[in-house]
Amino acid sequence: MKSKFLRLLALFLTIGVVAASCGSDSDDAAPATTAAPATTAAMATTTAQVEVVADGSLLDTVQARGTLNCGVSGSAVAFSETQADGSVTGIDADFCRAVAAAVLGDAGAVNFVALTASERFTAVQTGDVDVLMRNTTWTQSRDSSVGMDFGPTTYFDGQQLMARVSDGFSASSQVSDVDGAVVCTNVGTTTEKNIAEAALLAGAEITLLGFETSDEVYETFIAGGCDITTTDGSALVGRKVKQQPADQEWVIFPATPISKEPLGPTYGQNDSAWADAVNWTVYAMIIMDEYGITSADVDAACASAEAEVGRLCGGEGELQTGMGLPADAFHQVIRQVGNYSEVYNRNLNPVGLYREGSANAGWLDGGLIYAPPAR
Amino acid sequence: MTGLDSSNVSSTTAGGQPPAATPVSKIAPPVTPKLSIWEWVKENLFSSPFNCGLTVVTTVILLAIFRGLLAFIFNPVRQWNGVATNLRLMMTRAYPEEQYVRIWVCVAVILILTSLSMAIWHAGSALSVSEVGRKLLTTGTILVLFALLAPFSTAATMLWLLVALVVLGFAEFLRRSSRGLEGQTISTLTLLVLTLSGLVASLWVIPYGHHSYIPKRDPRVLAEPGTVALSTKLPWTLMLVIAVVAYFTGRALRDRLPANATRITLIVLWLLAPPALLYLVLRDPAFDMNHVATTDLPIFAAYAIGGTALLSWLTRPSTGELGRIVSAIILLAGFCSFLTPMRMIVRIDMLALAIFALAAPTFSGGPRAQKRYVASWIGLLGVMSWLITAINTPSTVSVPGGFFIGGMSITLMVAVFTLVISFPLGIALALARTSSMPIFRLLATWFIEFVRGIPLITILIFFSIMVPLFLPRGMHLGEVAAVIIGYVLFSSAYLAENVRGGLQSITRGQQEAADAVGMTSAQKTLFIVLPQALRVSIPPLVGHCIGVFKETSLLAIIGVFDILYIGRIVIPGQTEFMGSTKENVLFVSLIYWIFAYQMSKASQRLEQRTGLGER
């Protein structure tokens, strides 16, 4: 018994000594590239090649990597849908493609990363995605304390309400008219908070019913379980087009939304070179739309272009090369993806959303879509 | 040989039919009097007023549920086309079309292994003709109910009634004609193949699902209807043929090859199949041959030669205590290697060698045992090096999205890897918790109690969202890998407790008897305690397997595209199929049920085969 104990003690001493001795030559600067794939090796996922560009802009990293990691929702109707064959479509997806076309010259070089609402900002911070096109509302806290920067708004959304005409509602109804109504919405979202605040301000008493998924909200609404449903206007229009039963007529109100939801590209803060590349991709698409230049005629337009269009096409000056992009970056964007109107109409018209008369019309038509001049 | 005998007997009793020719040593089972249907109904359902009431009430409730379900399914509002169209998305997510042959290769490999195993282990049982008739009678009755309760048009109801009557008539014919041929039996496997053939044939007849969107210019133009059926009918036919051919090959081999060697080979192939298929076939690694030749092969050769020399020295009975010290030093060196920069493969190999070295004295013996031990080391080293090299080479399969597979594939992958890894881990934890060494006992107890005290969803969220933030810059843990690690930790803690229950049922006498014949403690554990403990724990272990398989649906919450996430969130997010959550979730739950039910059936067979609850 005693010898066993001694042997055990000796073993522990040896362990201690060897551990101490080899602890000293531990090397914190162990090349990450050898350790990283092997860590994942145990059950490896995609072979995540680790690129560390010390102190460089994300722009250099993306160009070195050759693909753009773009964070999308993957399940937002008309914004980013995953199709039956796994491809991603939608207005958000098209803006991802546009950035890839500008930075890499190939709209197909996008790796779409589907993110839930809770993990989207972490994914940007850990570098899993380069840019977030995930219908993310630009807010003060996200811009400051969350550590994000926001690009130009690509879609001006706002929360609205939807009710049945048979209940006496019309397009000119106001929030004050919903007094005593049962309102269905998704739980734990800002929509819930917004409607409660708006009703309080308007002096209307409402009963809120929360549901986990949007589909449940509309099932209940169709079945008559609630008088009113509320969420972002874009989603309401889509639902109305697709799900309104033959025996009901739905109406969306008030004309001025009860909340502002500006949606646009989001990226990590304090990286100007990368921010410029993303922002000017969007601006170029808006400017080209103002000139009416589409993917079909951009080649001809660029061949004989003067002034602003010529500068965006890369014909004269170093506007693009100066910001680290190829000279024909925006030419490629329009050629491969299209201008703002094309992208908008392609994705949002099928769900009943049109630019005319909405906040998303161009500034010349009374909307809010505006781009600074390219010069 | 006894194993073979008992398996034969159990396979006949599995069908519920009294064995025709009982071995001499067995006592014939008691004869139950044969009742006609009406006698049975009277005896069991209407024997007393209370029983009558119970029967009527239950029948009414069941019919109402059945009717409600049918009314839901056949409501014209339902968008079942959403399910049919998105079948591919649900199974593999965005796996590229031109690489799809790889998926079929995997399916074929699994089918071949299944068929071979079925042949080697004598799966299936024989049904007498009258029994088949009785089963068809039940099917026919269900069809009649279906036709009457479903909200069909009159014409459709009539058509379904006609089908039901044909089935009923055929069943009655079988039942009546079977009187003359008592000895005639039909194998359940034949019935299975017939059913599967029917399903495959339906692909050729009914084209459904238009899966392929034209993505480029105008993303909302759908391809031809029927693409799902069109693109899968040929592969599935081929798969069926492959499975049948493999089964008959297995049957032919069964009588010619030594039973034990064949079974062990098959088990090893089953264990190798998941990583090999996933990393070599589905991922299609692009090997850098130069790197393989200059780095991987030399490392393998060094460990093979060095390990051979070391292990042959260690397995020599004369080595004695010095061997243990050397093994312990190698183990320490293996752990220390993590503190210095070097290739991961070198460290893993060193740890594996240390474990082999530590276990060597247990396997010492004649030169034959020595050779076998060294050969198993080289075999393991080869498989390990091969897999590590394959995993560390980039994939040639590029998909939009994080992981190269998704949907049902990822559900299965996470479940299989979790179970395969957590089984040995769980058993080790259970042994540690019951061991007499305080360090092991305490560590295992702490680990188990800690992990069991945390909800699974917390572990998953921790691993998917927080661990990436903790990792040093440049290090990257893929989401799927992180999730599997979390699942393994959770599952092994529960598994350990199930196994510990079994361990405690082994009486002290068994251990003393093993001691008396001079077994080492490793031999005692491996050959006496564990086999008995695991046999006792089959029911809770299978329950655990089913649980792990179903709990993979929690992946949906952290945004991994598993089948439930796709059904619940992604498909209703398509403009085309907005608001189709219910249909998709019903379909997904059907798939989960099929798998879980098969597992529970398999466990019943395993229990019968090991004689659990009988001895």
Side-chain angles (χ1 to χ4, degrees):
Chain A
M1 209 63 242
K2 198 181 173 193
S3 73
K4 209 174 184 180
F5 177 74
L6 276 178
R7 224 185 288 160
L8 199 67
L9 200 68
L11 181 69
F12 277 122
L13 275 178
T14 332
I15 293 176
V17 169
V18 179
S21 64
C22 55
S24 57
D25 54 31
S26 71
D27 191 356
D28 285 340
T33 32
T34 53
T39 317
T40 42
M43 276 124 236
T45 62
T46 49
T47 45
Q49 290 301 319
V50 182
E51 336 67 13
V52 181
V53 178
D55 303 325
S57 167
L58 205 48
L59 183 60
D60 306 323
T61 315
V62 172
Q63 282 174 339
R65 190 198 300 138
T67 53
L68 173 79
N69 292 330
C70 194
V72 293
S73 151
S75 49
V77 176
F79 282 83
S80 55
E81 303 176 7
T82 309
Q83 297 302 351
D85 60 354
S87 61
V88 183
T89 61
I91 187 169
D92 284 350
D94 276 346
F95 277 110
C96 290
R97 292 197 178 92
V99 173
V103 175
L104 305 164
D106 176 12
V110 187
N111 177 28
F112 289 103
V113 182
L115 298 167
T116 60
S118 56
E119 63 185 3
R120 54 184 159 181
F121 299 123
T122 321
V124 176
Q125 280 152 359
T126 53
D128 279 351
V129 299
D130 306 315
V131 61
L132 208 55
M133 301 272 187
R134 200 204 168 279
N135 38 22
T136 303
T137 305
W138 185 356
T139 66
Q140 188 185 359
S141 60
R142 286 171 180 172
D143 208 346
S144 51
S145 56
V146 179
M148 295 291 126
D149 272 352
F150 287 81
T153 299
T154 53
Y155 187 87
F156 288 93
D157 212 341
Q159 188 176 339
Q160 286 175 303
L161 288 75
M162 185 158 73
R164 277 175 287 265
V165 172
S166 55
D167 290 344
F169 289 100
S170 68
S172 57
S173 300
Q174 293 301 317
V175 180
S176 49
D177 299 334
V178 305
D179 196 25
V182 180
V183 179
C184 286
T185 186
N186 292 41
V187 284
T189 58
T190 43
T191 40
E192 204 180 5
K193 212 162 28 177
N194 287 339
I195 182 66
E197 275 177 17
L200 193 71
L201 285 178
E205 199 127 316
I206 56 165
T207 315
L208 271 180
L209 273 187
F211 293 90
E212 189 59 42
T213 65
S214 307
D215 267 18
E216 291 171 40
V217 172
Y218 294 97
E219 290 279 349
T220 318
F221 179 64
I222 292 169
C226 40
D227 309 315
I228 286 173
T229 162
T230 175
T231 188
D232 287 354
S234 59
L236 287 180
V237 172
R239 293 283 173 177
K240 184 169 183 286
V241 168
K242 285 280 168 189
Q243 280 188 287
Q244 180 175 275
D247 56 346
Q248 294 185 16
E249 196 188 340
W250 297 350
V251 64
I252 296 171
F253 65 93
T256 318
I258 60 169
S259 77
K260 290 185 283 186
E261 312 284 346
L263 311 175
T266 312
Y267 30 76
Q269 64 188 5
N270 303 333
D271 189 347
S272 280
W274 179 238
D276 290 343
V278 175
N279 294 359
W280 277 95
T281 304
V282 177
Y283 290 141
M285 291 166 80
I286 294 173
I287 295 170
M288 288 301 204
D289 177 39
E290 286 168 3
Y291 286 101
I293 297 169
T294 63
S295 54
D297 56 16
V298 68
D299 286 345
C302 277
S304 60
E306 300 280 319
E308 191 167 25
V309 174
R311 288 194 291 276
L312 280 179
C313 283
E316 55 167 295
E318 272 79 45
L319 282 178
Q320 277 79 252
T321 48
M323 52 192 285
L325 297 178
D328 68 337
F330 300 141
H331 180 180
Q332 292 304 326
V333 170
I334 307 301
R335 206 162 70 90
Q336 298 183 23
V337 186
N339 68 27
Y340 180 82
S341 258
E342 278 181 274
V343 168
Y344 187 102
N345 295 340
R346 183 193 315 161
N347 294 299
L348 299 180
N349 286 0
V351 290
L353 293 167
Y354 296 92
R355 288 191 74 188
E356 293 78 33
S358 76
N360 297 301
W363 62 288
L364 293 167
D365 305 326
L368 294 171
I369 297 295
Y370 180 90
R375 63 168 180 258
Chain B
M1 269 291 82
T2 47
L4 247 175
D5 284 343
S6 70
S7 74
N8 274 344
V9 170
S10 65
S11 62
T12 31
T13 45
Q17 177 212 25
T22 15
V24 191
S25 57
K26 300 258 176 183
I27 302 162
V31 180
T32 40
K34 227 171 175 238
L35 298 173
S36 79
I37 294 179
W38 300 115
E39 281 167 336
W40 184 88
V41 165
K42 205 177 157 195
E43 190 106 320
N44 290 288
L45 297 179
F46 297 99
S47 55
S48 67
F50 174 71
N51 213 345
C52 285
L54 200 66
T55 306
V56 169
V57 169
T58 320
T59 312
V60 167
I61 292 177
L62 280 181
L63 284 181
I65 292 175
F66 194 50
R67 192 195 160 90
L69 190 69
L70 288 176
F72 174 83
I73 292 174
F74 290 100
N75 192 333
V77 179
R78 301 279 155 247
Q79 306 179 42
W80 290 107
N81 199 20
V83 174
T85 300
N86 285 293
L87 273 177
R88 206 181 109 181
L89 186 72
M90 285 205 215
M91 293 303 145
T92 55
R93 199 185 167 193
Y95 205 77
E97 182 121 43
E98 64 277 8
Q99 302 275 354
Y100 230 64
V101 66
R102 299 179 177 282
I103 306 249
W104 290 114
V105 168
C106 294
V107 174
V109 168
I110 291 171
L111 279 179
I112 290 172
L113 283 178
T114 314
S115 307
L116 283 180
S117 308
M118 281 174 134
I120 303 282
W121 271 278
H122 299 268
S125 54
L127 287 179
S128 67
V129 177
S130 66
E131 248 174 317
V132 175
R134 220 174 299 149
K135 289 207 162 150
L136 274 179
L137 213 57
T138 320
T139 319
T141 318
I142 293 177
L143 273 179
V144 170
L145 281 178
F146 170 78
L148 291 178
L149 291 177
F152 286 148
S153 65
T154 326
T157 310
M158 285 302 154
L159 192 69
W160 278 104
L161 271 180
L162 196 70
V163 172
L165 283 180
V166 168
V167 172
L168 281 176
F170 184 60
E172 192 56 28
F173 167 74
L174 277 184
R175 250 165 50 81
R176 282 181 193 283
S177 64
S178 72
R179 301 246 160 88
L181 17 103
E182 281 304 330
Q184 285 283 36
T185 55
I186 300 173
S187 161
T188 46
L189 291 179
T190 316
L191 290 179
L192 181 71
V193 169
L194 280 179
T195 319
L196 290 180
S197 309
L199 282 177
V200 170
S202 76
L203 285 176
W204 291 82
V205 182
I206 314 163
Y208 62 86
H210 45 60
H211 77 73
S212 125
Y213 258 71
I214 297 170
K216 285 286 178 289
R217 275 293 152 217
D218 186 359
R220 274 163 223 297
V221 178
L222 288 171
E224 293 287 298
T227 357
V228 170
L230 287 178
S231 62
T232 53
K233 62 182 182 184
L234 199 64
W236 276 123
T237 315
L238 202 64
M239 292 300 130
L240 189 68
V241 172
I242 286 176
V244 172
V245 169
Y247 177 76
F248 283 107
T249 318
R251 272 196 26 175
L253 288 177
R254 183 174 68 195
D255 307 323
R256 299 199 173 82
L257 297 175
N260 270 338
T262 326
R263 289 178 184 199
I264 289 174
T265 318
L266 260 182
I267 290 174
V268 169
L269 283 178
W270 269 114
L271 284 178
L272 276 181
L277 289 181
L278 190 69
Y279 294 122
L280 297 176
V281 180
L282 283 179
R283 257 180 92 246
D284 184 27
F287 286 108
D288 177 0
M289 282 307 166
N290 199 17
H291 183 269
V292 171
T294 52
T295 322
D296 296 332
L297 278 179
I299 292 178
F300 169 73
Y303 271 102
I305 295 167
T308 305
L310 181 79
L311 290 177
S312 18
W313 174 65
L314 283 173
T315 42
R316 215 175 294 155
S318 57
T319 309
E321 203 64 358
L322 185 65
R324 282 185 198 270
I325 296 173
V326 171
S327 320
I329 290 175
I330 297 176
L331 186 67
L332 271 180
F335 281 125
C336 283
S337 65
F338 281 88
L339 302 171
T340 52
M342 65 169 71
R343 295 199 167 274
M344 198 67 179
I345 190 167
V346 178
R347 301 169 175 155
I348 295 177
D349 284 352
M350 202 184 291
L351 283 178
L353 180 62
I355 292 168
F356 261 77
L358 280 171
T362 314
F363 293 90
S364 68
R368 202 157 153 257
Q370 215 173 347
K371 246 183 226 154
R372 233 200 249 161
Y373 196 57
V374 171
S376 60
W377 158 249
I378 294 181
L380 183 92
L381 184 71
V383 171
M384 225 164 62
S385 312
W386 182 47
L387 276 177
I388 292 177
T389 307
I391 290 167
N392 279 325
T393 42
S395 166
T396 58
V397 176
S398 72
V399 294
F403 199 62
F404 59 92
I405 53 170
M408 193 62 206
S409 328
I410 214 157
T411 301
L412 283 178
M413 179 201 140
V414 172
V416 166
F417 276 76
T418 304
L419 288 174
V420 167
I421 302 171
S422 66
F423 247 91
L425 203 62
I427 293 172
L429 276 171
L431 288 174
R433 201 176 173 174
T434 50
S435 107
S436 56
M437 292 189 225
I439 293 197
F440 284 145
R441 202 174 55 229
L442 275 180
L443 282 180
T445 312
W446 285 343
F447 174 80
I448 290 170
E449 294 305 332
F450 180 70
V451 172
R452 286 207 308 169
I454 307 176
L456 178 55
I457 192 69
T458 318
I459 297 183
L460 290 184
I461 289 176
F462 177 79
F463 272 92
S464 76
I465 296 180
M466 305 198 35
V467 167
L469 292 175
F470 295 156
L471 288 177
R473 194 177 159 73
M475 233 167 126
H476 181 94
L477 187 64
E479 187 161 36
V480 181
V483 161
I484 291 181
I485 293 175
Y487 264 119
V488 164
L489 292 184
F490 189 80
S491 155
S492 59
Y494 274 86
L495 220 137
E497 287 301 277
N498 289 340
V499 175
R500 192 168 68 99
L503 286 177
Q504 281 174 343
S505 74
I506 308 301
T507 53
R508 185 96 198 108
Q510 294 281 332
Q511 312 212 11
E512 283 164 0
D515 284 335
V517 295
M519 285 184 163
T520 63
S521 47
Q523 284 170 335
K524 195 170 67 182
T525 313
L526 274 181
F527 303 127
I528 304 295
V529 178
L530 266 187
Q532 300 187 62
L534 289 181
R535 191 178 73 98
V536 175
S537 356
I538 288 174
L541 286 181
V542 173
H544 180 80
C545 291
I546 295 176
V548 165
F549 174 71
K550 288 191 298 182
E551 277 160 13
T552 53
S553 55
L554 285 178
L555 290 174
I557 294 177
I558 55 167
V560 171
F561 275 58
D562 81 323
I563 187 167
L564 181 64
Y565 188 83
I566 288 178
R568 206 175 70 106
I569 310 279
V570 174
I571 298 175
Q574 296 172 348
T575 313
E576 202 69 23
F577 303 114
M578 243 158 126
S580 63
T581 313
K582 283 183 179 171
E583 295 90 320
N584 297 319
V585 171
L586 189 70
F587 178 73
V588 170
S589 46
L590 177 74
I591 290 188
Y592 271 111
W593 177 78
I594 289 174
F595 275 86
Y597 183 65
Q598 287 310 317
M599 280 195 248
S600 109
K601 285 293 260 191
S603 104
Q604 281 171 17
R605 282 196 291 271
L606 194 64
E607 280 172 37
Q608 266 170 355
R609 186 156 294 185
T610 54
L612 195 67
E614 288 168 24
R615 285 195 243 162

